[in-house]
Amino acid sequence: MIHNVAIRPVRHEDFPTWKRLWDGYNAFYGRIGPTALPADITSMTWSRFFDAYEPVHALVAESNEQLLGLAHFLYHRSTTQLGPSCYLQDLFTLDAARGKGIGRALIEEVYRRAREAGSPRVYWQTHETNATAMQLYEQVAEKSGFVVYRKLL
């Protein structure tokens, strides 16, 4: 465990350190070099965190003035419930912070904020090869049993 960790909303001045976390997250999923996200996607993502009309939110984990992790989540309507669903889209911690409770703390804060927003459900997906993360996920949530299909357009 890392002590004195604060989970808080991202701030404008966090951009350089958030960007390093964001780049690490994207590299983890193979979005690096020729397959990296275009800069305009990163810029738009960042701006959405500060736009009151956007349902997209960002949290960071901070200890000793260093950002150790991030969580991005958004709310959307559902046809099977009255309250909004909360989708935890991105979760990432620095390698040095893994296994020390940072990911769990970020997830728990998303849960807290989702409850406050009237959301009855938080859900997310991960790659089937992300065994380390799944060890945590199986402690804090349940597998839905659904398989994700997609078609890139």
Side-chain angles (χ1 to χ4, degrees), residues 16-33:
T17 48
W18 170 87
K19 175 79 164 50
R20 285 193 287 278
L21 290 167
W22 178 240
D23 289 344
Y25 172 76
N26 283 299
F28 180 84
Y29 282 108
R31 295 183 294 259
I32 190 169

Side-chain angles (χ1 to χ4, degrees), residues 84-151:
S85 287
C86 179
Y87 178 55
L88 174 55
Q89 186 162 9
D90 310 312
L91 180 70
F92 181 75
T93 62
L94 294 174
D95 285 342
R98 292 205 180 122
K100 298 185 172 139
I102 303 299
R104 180 185 297 265
L106 285 162
I107 291 169
E108 292 294 337
E109 183 61 14
V110 171
Y111 286 169
R112 189 187 73 72
R113 289 170 182 266
R115 274 190 294 276
E116 279 185 358
S119 179
R121 174 177 60 205
V122 175
Y123 71 101
W124 63 91
Q125 58 187 348
T126 192
H127 196 271
E128 63 188 5
T129 60
N130 197 354
T132 301
M134 285 190 278
Q135 289 175 4
L136 168 62
Y137 300 162
E138 290 176 8
Q139 294 174 30
V140 299
E142 61 185 42
K143 283 186 181 177
S144 68
F146 283 87
V147 177
V148 175
Y149 289 87
R150 71 177 184 187
K151 177 160 179 62

Side-chain angles (χ1 to χ4, degrees), residues 12-118:
H12 289 282
E13 62 269 19
D14 291 328
F15 182 77
T17 48
W18 170 87
K19 175 79 164 50
R20 285 193 287 278
L21 290 167
W22 178 240
D23 289 344
Y25 172 76
N26 283 299
F28 180 84
Y29 282 108
R31 295 183 294 259
I32 190 169
T35 60
L37 288 180
D40 61 335
I41 290 177
T42 294
S43 294
M44 180 60 76
T45 297
W46 179 254
S47 71
R48 286 176 174 157
F49 301 146
F50 303 100
D51 184 340
Y53 291 104
E54 287 284 350
V56 182
H57 307 275
L59 299 172
V60 290
E62 180 180 44
S63 180
N64 298 321
E65 299 182 12
Q66 180 184 7
L67 298 188
L68 304 174
L70 61 77
H72 303 150
F73 59 102
L74 58 98
Y75 296 104
H76 65 85
R77 303 269 187 233
S78 172
T79 60
T80 61
Q81 63 195 27
L82 295 177
S85 287
C86 179
Y87 178 55
L88 174 55
Q89 186 162 9
D90 310 312
L91 180 70
F92 181 75
T93 62
L94 294 174
D95 285 342
R98 292 205 180 122
K100 298 185 172 139
I102 303 299
R104 180 185 297 265
L106 285 162
I107 291 169
E108 292 294 337
E109 183 61 14
V110 171
Y111 286 169
R112 189 187 73 72
R113 289 170 182 266
R115 274 190 294 276
E116 279 185 358

